[in-house]
Amino acid sequence: RKEVEQDPGPFNVPEGATVAFNCTYSNSASQSFFWYRQDCRKEPKLLMSVYSSGNEDGRFTAQLNRASQYISLLIRDSKLSDSATYLCVVSRWDAGNMLTFGGGTRLMVKP
Amino acid sequence: ETGVTQTPRHLVMGMTNKKSLKCEQHLGHNAMYWYKQSAKKPLELMFVYSLEERVENNSVPSRFSPECPNSSHLFLHLHTLQPEDSALYLCASSQDQGLGSGANVLTFGAGSRLTVL
């Protein structure tokens, strides 16, 4: 089983739609959680950290469920510019806090 | 500009060539990383340096040789590569490595796209 699993997609949604991605992680020693965004042929960039109580940044909401070992990302009112691959990233305290990346979920927002 | 600069951006080399990838960060970070990104695969961690000391070598073949002369510069020396080594090589830096919340958030360079013929 992969340490961090994501549905690769693509998720094709119209502008203005709400879309949600889930990510599951296998190791209960996982400590920190992040969503990164990667545009086509560009480097990954931090979108947001994910906190235990859940957190929101504008149209983006991230949630963590430690009991079920998954994190989610909700995007409201999708824009064309949201089209990208969203990478779920997890670090483990028992692995030197190294980051492990999921394979990413591709989102395509259409007019 | 992210503060992490990689050169060259594109590199084509034969299997017998020797080349190097260079990474420089201007963020005052203490940790630097090499990642490999192949098509349809997750980012794979290759090497980690913290305060110029290698702290992680993720079972990478010896044809890849990292060098970290100081906390701002990181090199990846390449020799006798195979076609399956063709990939995007991403350098990243973080404030620290494994020292608390947010300290390991990565800033990536734009990557060096390598093609091995």
Side-chain angles (χ1 to χ4, degrees):
Chain A
R1 185 185 171 187
K2 292 179 187 174
E3 190 167 340
V4 181
E5 287 207 67
Q6 296 182 250
D7 180 342
F11 284 55
N12 294 296
V13 302
E15 261 187 301
T18 295
V19 61
F21 310 134
N22 283 337
C23 164
T24 57
Y25 59 95
S26 61
N27 197 301
S28 59
S30 299
Q31 181 182 31
S32 302
F33 308 89
F34 309 91
W35 285 102
Y36 278 70
R37 170 194 168 129
Q38 185 171 23
D39 292 293
C40 187
R41 305 189 76 80
K42 295 285 185 73
E43 73 275 18
K45 293 183 179 177
L46 178 68
L47 178 66
M48 58 196 304
S49 302
V50 186
Y51 302 120
S52 297
S53 55
N55 48 300
E56 191 173 305
D57 183 2
R59 298 182 292 110
F60 298 83
T61 301
Q63 299 216 312
L64 167 64
N65 185 318
R66 284 192 186 270
S68 301
Q69 295 185 192
Y70 78 82
I71 68 174
S72 64
L73 178 67
L74 181 78
I75 305 176
R76 289 181 298 278
D77 188 23
S78 300
K79 310 291 185 192
L80 296 176
S81 56
D82 293 334
S83 298
T85 297
Y86 291 84
L87 304 170
C88 173
V89 185
V90 172
S91 74
R92 288 167 39 193
W93 65 266
D94 64 339
N97 223 17
M98 298 294 175
L99 300 184
T100 300
F101 284 75
T105 298
R106 190 170 171 212
L107 171 66
M108 298 179 69
V109 181
K110 313 235 166 164
Chain B
E1 279 295 329
T2 65
V4 180
T5 303
Q6 289 187 244
T7 55
R9 294 291 308 277
H10 300 272
L11 178 62
V12 179
M13 59 187 289
M15 290 191 283
T16 57
N17 291 158
K18 287 184 181 181
K19 297 285 184 183
S20 296
L21 307 181
K22 179 183 175 183
C23 178
E24 183 175 0
Q25 57 97 0
H26 306 277
L27 301 169
H29 287 169
N30 292 320
M32 295 187 76
Y33 309 76
W34 281 115
Y35 280 85
K36 176 183 179 182
Q37 188 172 37
S38 305
K40 300 189 186 300
K41 292 175 75 173
L43 268 75
E44 301 170 58
L45 178 64
M46 299 176 73
F47 300 104
V48 182
Y49 278 82
S50 179
L51 297 171
E52 301 148 46
E53 288 201 19
R54 191 190 305 181
V55 296
E56 181 82 12
N57 174 357
N58 215 19
S59 303
V60 179
S62 60
R63 57 186 184 268
F64 295 92
S65 173
E67 178 190 359
C68 187
N70 55 61
S71 59
S72 299
H73 293 86
L74 186 63
F75 295 89
L76 188 62
H77 303 300
L78 317 168
H79 63 97
T80 59
L81 294 192
Q82 306 297 312
E84 60 265 29
D85 296 322
S86 298
L88 180 68
Y89 289 84
L90 289 160
C91 174
S93 69
S94 66
Q95 181 183 334
D96 288 294
Q97 181 261 321
L99 291 179
S101 177
N104 61 343
V105 171
L106 298 175
T107 300
F108 284 91
S112 294
R113 187 162 295 280
L114 173 67
T115 302
V116 182
L117 301 177

